[in-house]
Amino acid sequence: MTVQTLHTAQPFSRDPDWWRGAVIYQIYPRSYQDSTGDGIGDLAGIVKRLPYIASLGVDAIWISPFFTSPMKDFGYDVSDYCDVDPMFGQLSDFDAVIETAHAHGVKVMIDLVLSHTSDQHPWFVESRKSHDNDKANWYVWADAKPDGTPPNNWLSIFGGSAWQWDAGRMQYFLHNFLTSQPDLNFHEPQVQEALLDVGRFWLERGVDGFRLDTINFYTHDAELRDNPALPVEARSAKTAPAVNPYNWQQHIYDKSRPENLNFLRKLRAVMQPYNAAAVGEVGDEQLGLEILGQYTAGDDLMHMCYAFELLSGDKPTAQYIKDVMDHVDEVATDGWACWAFSNHDVMRHPTRWNLTDDAQRMFTTLMMCLKGSACIYQGEELGLQEADVAFEDLQDPYGIAFWPEFKGRDGCRTPMVWENSNQNGGFSEADKTWLPVSTDHLGQSVAQSEADSGSIIHHYRHAIALRQAHEALKTGTCSPMSVDQGCLVFTRAGSDEELYCAFNLTDENAKLEVPRGNWQVIDSAVSHAVPQGGTLNLGPWQPCILQRKLT
Ligand code: BGC
Ligand code: MG
């Protein structure tokens, strides 16, 4: 692999802090817009839809992997880090994405999956050939125990042992995900160098940042020690469904090893001259926020980490959100979180939390008022529910393995709906799309939503615009949160204003006392409640944002 140097439009002109408080729109490229008629979305499709994305007011897009891949995990199994899979187009199409996005003032983050490759990657093909080839040590190989069983008790998230036997080398190799996703050996310096080169390649091509897949999985314990079992009462299901025994272990040896920090530091140094930003995905049941704090401390590791706290579980209460934010304050004093309610791995949140339309709107406004950056997942702005995908149509191997107790991730990955009148909701002209377009989604297409002034897409635009208009929301301080009658209350402050933010997360009316001060109602499109003589009557699922100038 050679690192090509290209002339890029404006590689050094980025504000180094552009990512703080940014609103990032996540695109799952297979399901965004097909421009070739093969039933699979592609990069040219994204180019076509960039004006729409820009119209939402977001700062950046994060595009899930579009690199060459056998697509066993739909692109999260990469066989060439420096090329585009033909299904998605070619490098010149990616250049068009960058150029068009930048022309619309939108930054581009790409999803680097560095923890593992595909088993088709030439590195692995070579590595598995013998014990003494150049890349013999690039993956995690280990001998069987004397009884032939795997070297330790580590589990794959996608089911079964994390070790797969290779009859050629007569050894096991490690895979935290599918057997076709062998784990790279980060203890091998050449592996780290090769991966830093991947980063350089895309930075030179003009990307503004990276979403880094599973960053706490990079390094494993070189001694291959067994993970301890978790007591039953300590099990939780934040990153894997409850039916997955992966949740029964304390993952202290297979991930989140201290050596990770060395690589993250090197990667940050590579990104620094470009003012590019990284959001690292940290998946850990017990210590997710602690790791977030550790990885985003100071200014030589990750810029931000992507947290799972609002991505799973039951509908959050005000107390839950307060507890999460208090915890962040405690363990990530100078760190930075990136929040999301939905993504390509979890059930869409309106379904997961069984939200009414009002509640959906309130959560969106709340997200825009939280300290941190925010990711919106494609289709969320239309208020889409999780799609029902029949077993025969399933694509996700994770869902196929755990069906029907866990149906996998296809229900949040069905194609975007652009128009109701067109075939496949305007997503594709193919007879059959890779996942069926949900007929339940058709009535919420972009075209119909745009035409209906009462639809949620307009609320997303208002809520995003609110954040963009207030430095206090993007980069300001946040007071400790308080809970009153099930309402979440906090203030955000910037250099010249303070914002009072109150959210009623209940089905009941609440009566709150607004602290003294010359508060003004701002942005009535987002917040309708008006305090009367210091008392704020907040209806069910209603937000209220008030402003006072600091002079
Ligand atoms: C990605 C998943 C993927 C896994 C393995 C994740 O956390 O978001 O979609 O299956 O990493 O790469
Ligand atoms: Mg296509």
Side-chain angles (χ1 to χ4, degrees):
M1 182 188 68
T2 51
V3 176
Q4 232 177 304
T5 306
L6 292 173
H7 175 74
T8 44
Q10 26 168 272
F12 304 111
S13 66
R14 291 174 201 113
D15 166 5
D17 277 332
W18 73 262
W19 50 275
R20 283 189 193 273
V23 183
I24 303 164
Y25 183 84
Q26 184 196 349
I27 300 176
Y28 193 67
R30 294 181 76 85
S31 293
Y32 205 57
Q33 173 69 67
D34 175 19
S35 71
T36 56
D38 63 351
I40 300 171
D42 42 58
L43 294 178
I46 296 176
V47 170
K48 174 174 167 195
R49 297 301 184 181
L50 269 162
Y52 162 74
I53 297 166
S55 81
L56 297 173
V58 300
D59 297 278
I61 52 173
W62 141 29
I63 315 176
S64 280
F66 50 81
F67 316 102
T68 317
S69 164
M71 302 288 167
K72 296 286 179 350
D73 190 22
F74 300 105
Y76 284 91
D77 49 325
V78 178
S79 57
D80 184 348
Y81 284 112
C82 295
D83 208 348
V84 171
D85 194 277
M87 164 187 297
F88 293 128
Q90 42 190 331
L91 279 169
S92 57
D93 295 304
F94 181 72
D95 294 337
V97 169
I98 294 266
E99 203 178 311
T100 315
H102 287 176
H104 284 86
V106 174
K107 295 194 162 52
V108 179
M109 305 181 86
I110 61 166
D111 200 331
L112 291 186
V113 190
L114 305 182
S115 190
H116 44 265
T117 67
S118 155
D119 61 354
Q120 316 279 304
H121 196 295
W123 298 343
F124 187 72
V125 172
E126 186 175 349
S127 188
R128 81 188 317 176
K129 273 187 188 151
S130 65
H131 288 248
D132 56 5
N133 65 74
D134 280 353
K135 303 214 163 32
N137 196 32
W138 280 40
Y139 292 81
V140 185
W141 294 99
D143 293 334
K145 284 186 179 164
D147 64 1
T149 57
N152 62 24
N153 70 352
W154 297 352
L155 294 173
S156 152
I157 295 194
F158 290 161
S161 168
W163 296 96
Q164 176 69 13
W165 181 248
D166 184 83
R169 274 184 65 145
M170 290 292 281
Q171 278 188 311
Y172 282 100
F173 67 84
L174 178 68
H175 62 93
N176 287 300
F177 297 91
L178 296 175
T179 54
S180 55
Q181 289 169 300
D183 230 59
L184 280 161
N185 178 13
F186 277 69
H187 293 289
E188 168 57 58
Q190 288 179 40
V191 166
Q192 296 200 14
E193 273 316 309
L195 295 174
L196 294 173
D197 274 348
V198 169
R200 292 184 185 103
F201 175 87
W202 292 103
L203 289 164
E204 278 299 316
R205 240 175 158 103
V207 302
D208 303 277
F210 301 124
R211 181 267 188 183
L212 297 168
D213 193 62
T214 60
I215 49 166
N216 57 321
F217 288 72
Y218 286 169
T219 322
H220 65 285
D221 175 40
E223 293 175 44
L224 305 183
R225 283 170 281 189
D226 273 344
N227 282 327
L230 265 178
V232 177
E233 60 285 1
R235 290 177 195 164
S236 79
K238 232 177 268 163
T239 58
V243 290
N244 192 340
Y246 186 82
N247 296 326
W248 299 8
Q249 292 185 358
Q250 212 177 332
H251 292 275
I252 54 174
Y253 293 122
D254 54 348
K255 63 185 185 187
S256 309
R257 302 300 303 159
E259 299 93 326
N260 266 352
L261 296 175
N262 303 333
F263 179 75
L264 297 180
R265 218 167 265 125
K266 291 183 201 167
L267 187 55
R268 175 68 177 257
V270 166
M271 299 176 71
Q272 205 65 22
Y274 298 86
N275 288 341
V279 52
E281 182 200 28
V282 168
D284 190 83
E285 296 301 322
Q286 279 73 40
L287 294 173
L289 292 179
E290 278 78 2
I291 301 166
L292 177 150
Q294 197 187 4
Y295 287 10
T296 58
D299 55 9
D300 65 343
L301 295 163
M302 293 289 92
H303 301 77
M304 19 178 194
C305 278
Y306 188 75
F308 279 73
E309 270 61 27
L310 300 175
L311 272 171
S312 52
D314 299 332
K315 182 159 68 186
T317 59
Q319 188 62 47
Y320 175 80
I321 296 178
K322 172 184 160 48
D323 290 346
V324 169
M325 299 303 153
D326 286 354
H327 194 170
V328 171
D329 281 347
E330 193 188 313
V331 296
T333 337
D334 66 340
W336 200 265
C338 183
W339 303 110
F341 297 149
S342 282
N343 69 18
H344 65 296
D345 289 331
V346 299
M347 183 183 280
R348 286 184 178 274
H349 71 275
T351 312
R352 192 171 76 238
W353 295 341
N354 191 19
L355 300 181
T356 60
D357 187 68
D358 282 347
Q360 274 186 56
R361 288 166 198 254
M362 196 226 63
F363 274 112
T364 307
T365 311
L366 170 59
M367 164 101 93
M368 293 305 143
C369 294
L370 289 179
K371 185 174 177 196
S373 300
C375 285
I376 293 172
Y377 177 54
Q378 68 181 46
E380 179 180 334
E381 74 277 23
L382 306 176
L384 299 185
Q385 302 276 341
E386 181 83 349
D388 236 337
V389 181
F391 182 77
E392 310 76 74
D393 290 325
L394 281 197
Q395 299 290 329
D396 183 15
Y398 196 6
I400 294 168
F402 283 88
W403 179 275
E405 282 74 18
F406 168 62
K407 294 180 177 172
R409 303 166 295 177
D410 292 315
C412 64
R413 296 177 175 181
T414 59
M416 185 73 176
V417 281
W418 298 99
E419 293 147 38
N420 192 359
S421 49
N422 273 7
Q423 194 179 359
N424 301 318
F427 162 69
S428 169
E429 286 173 4
D431 291 337
K432 192 170 171 8
T433 55
W434 81 281
L435 273 176
V437 175
S438 164
T439 47
D440 292 340
H441 289 173
L442 286 173
Q444 286 164 283
S445 73
V446 172
Q448 283 152 295
S449 298
E450 296 284 23
D452 172 2
S453 61
S455 75
I456 199 162
I457 196 172
H458 304 291
H459 180 77
Y460 267 82
R461 282 204 181 90
H462 285 306
I464 296 168
L466 173 77
R467 182 179 186 110
Q468 302 292 17
H470 295 277
E471 175 225 333
L473 294 179
K474 289 201 99 165
T475 55
T477 56
C478 185
S479 70
M481 295 189 166
S482 61
V483 176
D484 186 357
Q485 300 152 69
C487 301
L488 185 66
V489 182
F490 55 92
T491 58
R492 303 287 316 265
S495 53
D496 60 353
E497 62 168 356
E498 186 177 10
L499 299 175
Y500 167 89
C501 308
F503 300 88
N504 186 347
L505 279 79
T506 76
D507 295 324
E508 312 292 330
N509 289 313
K511 204 174 258 210
L512 303 177
E513 291 307 311
V514 177
R516 282 165 179 276
N518 185 20
W519 296 104
Q520 309 290 325
V521 177
I522 50 163
D523 202 334
S524 57
V526 168
S527 145
H528 313 279
V530 180
Q532 307 288 340
T535 302
L536 177 66
N537 288 306
L538 214 49
W541 302 104
Q542 219 179 7
C544 175
I545 322 284
L546 305 172
Q547 176 199 44
R548 71 172 167 195
K549 291 282 177 197
L550 299 173
T551 42

